[in-house]
Amino acid sequence: MAVPIAVLDCDLLLYGRGHRTLDRFKLEDVTDEYLVSTYGFPREFIYYLVDLLGASLSRPTQRSRAISPETQILAALGFYTSGSFQTRMGDAIGISQASMSRCVANVTEALVERASQFIHFPEDEATVQSLKDDFYGLAGMPGVLGVVDCTHVAIKAPNAEDLSYVNRKGLHSLNCLMVCDARGVLLSAETHWPGSLPDCTVLQQAALTSQFEAELHKDGWLLGDSSFSLRTWLMTPLHIPETPAEYRYNMAHSATHNVIERTFRTIRSRFRCLDGSKGTLQYSPEKSSHIILACCVLHNISLEHGLDVWSSPATGHMEQPEEEYEQMESMDSEACRIRQELLLTHFS
């Protein structure tokens, strides 16, 4: 339904009488269908975000304190899910383009501050075992703690024209390393890597590797594709399978690893600001990285609330340079032994 509201002057919003909160859009005045079509999420989910982020968005040190947390969240959700920045979405909730930009920045910062609360590996034994069981139920691959891969998100050229962000297609991007569980819930998300770095280099330098090398996650492994090197905690496909057991292993590996590709499609389908169809993220690499991470946080929260969009058709595209790599045999003899034992025990 249309909500006719005039766009208010930005200075009035920021410096209006007594800095009062100016409510210009009421959730209770519109239907869930309108909220989902315009902002991507239903009413109860938005109320949850208001409770979660309200204190951060009401901090008196913020210039946008005259805009209610509810309006700030609607502004940010509108941008994240539509990819259409500011003018149209600002008109819908009655704020100027400049205020819209500040709302997106404020909500993004508040979500990033809470990233570790919503994106993390499970720690208790029962949850870890449940994680493995869920993966095993997909294709019979045992001991899996998560599937890992990288995806590129296009950004504008940095002001300094830093060539480190130019990927193999000649486009500026961030290379984002993510791990998810069998349901697509993100367990790790590192969104700041320059687009010129190949996936294997990103993983080598990632905090994720430090965690697994320090054996913070024992008795299991991640699954990665052939762009990564085999490690004791990272099982990769066999380059040239020869035996029936090796073919079965590769098939189970591929079917299980496909979860991360579905997750990437889900994220870009729900958060159109990342899918490339509206152009690149018009921010610095640091701010773009924060927007991506904020969307990852929202992705996990939405799954917690039962908002699964895996059945939704993917739209647009995410800039994803195809990796050109020559698979090399692992020099890690212990990693090779573990994979061979896995083949003999479960796939022979």
Side-chain angles (χ1 to χ4, degrees):
M1 64 180 281
V3 181
I5 299 176
V7 177
L8 303 181
D9 180 74
C10 181
D11 290 337
L12 173 61
L13 292 176
L14 296 180
Y15 309 114
R17 300 180 184 90
H19 301 297
R20 293 180 303 157
T21 296
L22 299 175
D23 291 316
R24 54 194 65 82
F25 181 94
K26 297 292 186 182
L27 285 175
E28 57 268 25
D29 291 341
V30 296
T31 65
D32 256 8
E33 289 75 14
Y34 173 79
L35 291 172
V36 171
S37 65
T38 307
Y39 304 103
F41 293 96
R43 189 185 328 274
E44 291 305 315
F45 184 87
I46 296 170
Y47 281 141
Y48 173 82
L49 292 181
V50 172
D51 290 340
L52 177 69
L53 307 178
S56 296
L57 299 177
S58 300
R59 283 181 278 197
T61 55
Q62 289 185 335
R63 294 183 64 199
S64 60
R65 58 192 175 278
I67 305 178
S68 70
E70 182 178 292
T71 300
Q72 292 184 62
I73 288 168
L74 288 171
L77 291 179
F79 167 62
Y80 297 149
T81 60
S82 75
S84 175
F85 197 49
Q86 296 169 5
T87 302
R88 183 183 69 82
M89 199 56 58
D91 288 349
I93 53 179
I95 61 176
S96 68
Q97 183 170 338
S99 294
M100 177 82 181
S101 180
R102 276 186 289 276
C103 290
V104 172
N106 291 344
V107 174
T108 297
E109 179 184 353
L111 287 167
V112 168
E113 288 174 353
R114 290 160 178 79
S116 61
Q117 176 182 346
F118 293 99
I119 303 175
H120 57 81
F121 282 90
E123 296 181 358
D124 63 281
E125 291 185 10
T127 307
V128 171
Q129 186 58 51
S130 178
L131 183 68
K132 294 179 184 178
D133 292 343
D134 288 345
F135 274 118
Y136 188 79
L138 295 179
M141 181 70 75
V144 180
L145 298 174
V147 289
V148 59
D149 207 347
C150 289
T151 190
H152 286 252
V153 177
I155 63 172
K156 73 171 184 178
N159 290 334
E161 188 53 42
D162 188 341
L163 294 180
S164 68
Y165 291 95
V166 178
N167 61 39
R168 300 176 76 85
K169 288 187 174 181
L171 304 172
H172 292 84
S173 68
L174 291 168
N175 195 1
C176 305
L177 178 73
M178 300 186 192
V179 179
C180 74
D181 70 9
R183 296 193 304 119
V185 175
L186 295 173
L187 307 175
S188 178
E190 300 184 33
T191 60
H192 62 282
W193 297 102
S196 67
L197 294 181
D199 294 358
C200 59
T201 303
V202 169
L203 183 63
Q204 288 171 2
Q205 300 179 12
L208 178 70
T209 294
S210 299
Q211 292 178 24
F212 276 86
E213 294 289 351
E215 298 187 340
L216 296 182
H217 311 290
K218 300 179 181 180
D219 303 322
W221 40 72
L222 302 178
L223 296 187
D225 64 19
S226 298
S227 61
F228 301 119
S229 297
L230 180 70
R231 299 169 185 249
T232 57
W233 49 267
L234 178 65
M235 294 293 103
T236 59
L238 289 139
H239 182 36
I240 305 177
E242 297 178 346
T243 68
E246 291 175 344
Y247 276 102
R248 284 192 288 270
Y249 166 85
N250 270 14
M251 289 178 64
H253 188 292
S254 176
T256 307
H257 188 265
N258 185 55
V259 173
I260 191 70
E261 299 301 331
R262 293 178 66 196
T263 299
F264 289 155
R265 290 196 296 270
T266 296
I267 292 172
R268 65 175 175 258
S269 175
R270 171 162 270 157
F271 303 107
R272 299 289 300 279
C273 69
L274 306 181
D275 74 4
S277 65
K278 301 291 185 178
T280 62
L281 283 174
Q282 296 297 303
Y283 296 93
S284 68
E286 180 181 9
K287 290 184 177 179
S288 296
S289 170
H290 286 179
I291 287 173
I292 301 166
L293 185 55
C295 291
C296 290
V297 173
L298 287 172
H299 167 77
N300 275 11
I301 296 175
S302 68
L303 291 180
E304 277 189 11
H305 284 73
L307 303 177
D308 190 342
V309 296
W310 272 13
S311 59
S312 300
T315 55
H317 66 282
M318 183 178 286
E319 295 298 342
Q320 177 64 59
E322 294 183 5
E323 289 288 337
E324 297 178 12
Y325 52 80
E326 179 179 351
Q327 179 160 343
M328 300 177 63
E329 290 300 320
S330 173
M331 302 301 292
D332 187 332
S333 59
E334 179 63 10
C336 291
R337 184 195 67 77
I338 291 173
R339 186 169 66 179
Q340 187 62 29
E341 182 177 327
L342 181 60
L343 281 162
L344 294 173
T345 304
H346 293 278
F347 296 98
S348 294

